[in-house]
Amino acid sequence: MLDIIHNRVSLRKYADRPISDEHLDLILEAAIAAPTAGNQCLYSIIMIRDPKTKETLSESCDFQPFIAKAPVILIFAADQQKWFDYFSAQDVKVFAKHTGLSFEAPQESDLILACEDALIAAQNAVIAAESLGIGSCYIGDIMENYEYHKELLGLEDWVFPVCMLCLGYYEPHTVRVQQKRFKREFLVFEERYRKLTPEELERMFEDKAKEFVEKNRYGAENFAQMFYARKTGAQFSKEMARSVRVALKKWDGRRL
């Protein structure tokens, strides 16, 4: 299991063969077996295999052609809709009125809790897939274009697509290039959080700082300036911020 975790890479080129139903079932069962808040399973998994839908997602998720070539796409959505609909169907509103409780729509805390559930399930799916020789790539861009994806996927108000996985078998002799992570000393703290000193931050980012290009189009004088300008100025970043802001307006906890 540790070898599987440490050998995994984000896979963007897949063998030209469908994922078997047997393997797909194992991946989905592993996802559903993931830890979940109060055993509520506050997520839904939308499985995409239709070529037209995959092509559409490859364009709406920041124009990434490899998405269309993935044999299977799994979209993990934070989902409070099912529980809210259950409450409504079981006359919880009437019960709340008689007992002095307010009957409220899902709110921000419910969204975050559901996002946790969805992401934990997604990572279970990733590890299960990897154990079967099936690579994966997380696509956060599914959070963009909220209105468009809401209509495309038939999402209700209290369902938010928090991540998307592209799945496919590794090609024979795939070269796995491991991305270097930050050192543990900068990520793991004993007992309580500790603010890093300027010297520690410099050591933390010393490898990334080597990516700095002196003649850059932003006029940046160091890596931090260049990275910030590139990220903040990128259209996908602006769209993601806008999209999530719009989605959040649904999760206002208003009384109903």
Side-chain angles (χ1 to χ4, degrees), residues 84 87-88 92-94 96 101-105 253-256:
F84 184 81
F87 293 153
S88 298
V92 171
K93 184 175 184 178
V94 176
L101 296 171
S102 60
F103 188 62
E104 301 174 347
R254 59 187 180 276
R255 295 193 176 193
L256 299 172

Side-chain angles (χ1 to χ4, degrees), residues 64 76 134 153 188 207 217-218 249:
Q64 301 182 77
F76 288 78
I134 297 170
L153 302 170
V188 181
D207 287 330
R217 63 191 179 95
Y218 308 106
K249 291 179 181 179

